[in-house]
Every structure is written in C-alpha cells, then in structure tokens.
C-alpha cells in the first residue's frame, strides 16, 4: 500500500499531540503519543462526537473500566473531532 495510507486497527499509531480536557477546570495540557511510549500499554480509541446518544456510553464504559485497565498497566486515551472546550462541557453535563 502507499505510504500515505491511513493506519488500520491494530497498527502502530502515528505520532500526535493535542490539547486535552483532563479536568473540569484549569488549563488544557497537551497530550502526545510520546507521553506513553515505553512505559505502558496505550488503548487509543476514537469516537465521533461528545453530545450524541451512542458515543458517550462508550466513553463512560471506558471510564468505568479504568481501574481494570490500570491494573493491567494500560492507559486509555479517547479522541474525537470535538474541541477540548466541547469535551469539558460534556464532562460537566
């Protein structure tokens, strides 16, 4: 396949960095793939939008399972097309 093809499920994630909504207030830290390299397993999941009826159930399911992922040494990062401001508004809703 051409080198410009998109990564497939199970392939290595391309380098990325983006502002993240990790808390209900305060600054938005930048999260990068390099933050997780070599120290843990990364579960990187994507969903389309925060304020829909399906996607938030997936996000909360990951959040509910976080202790189990952490026991296995895994970190979870969710990503969507929404901005960090929208993510924080959803977290507050």
């Amino acid at each position: 396949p051409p080198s410009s093809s998109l990564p497939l499920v199970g392939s290595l994630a391309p380098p990325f960095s983006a502002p993240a909504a990790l808390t209900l207030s305060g600054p938005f830290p930048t999260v990068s793939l390099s933050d997780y390299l070599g120290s843990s397993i990364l579960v990187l999941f994507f969903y389309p939008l925060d304020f829909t009826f399906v996607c938030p159930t997936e996000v909360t399911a990951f959040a509910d399972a976080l202790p189990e992922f952490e026991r296995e040494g895994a970190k979870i990062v969710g990503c969507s097309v929404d901005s960090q401001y929208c993510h924080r508004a959803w977290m507050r809703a």
Side-chain angles (χ1 to χ4, degrees):
S3 62
S4 63
S5 64
L6 295 174
L8 301 174
V9 171
S11 64
L12 295 176
F16 67 84
S17 64
L22 301 178
T23 61
L24 295 176
S25 62
F28 296 102
T30 298
V31 174
S32 300
L33 178 62
S34 61
D35 295 341
Y36 302 95
L37 293 177
S39 62
S40 59
I41 299 164
L42 176 62
V43 176
L44 180 61
F45 74 95
F46 295 86
Y47 61 101
L49 299 167
D50 288 327
F51 290 97
T52 63
F53 66 92
V54 174
C55 297
T57 59
E58 295 164 352
V59 174
T60 56
F62 272 109
D64 292 344
L66 185 58
E68 187 175 341
F69 280 97
E70 290 175 336
R71 278 193 301 276
E72 298 298 325
K75 306 285 185 186
I76 299 174
V77 174
C79 178
S80 83
V81 297
D82 285 327
S83 72
Q84 68 270 32
Y85 303 103
C86 187
H87 293 320
R88 183 167 285 163
W90 184 83
M91 290 167 63
R92 290 177 176 164

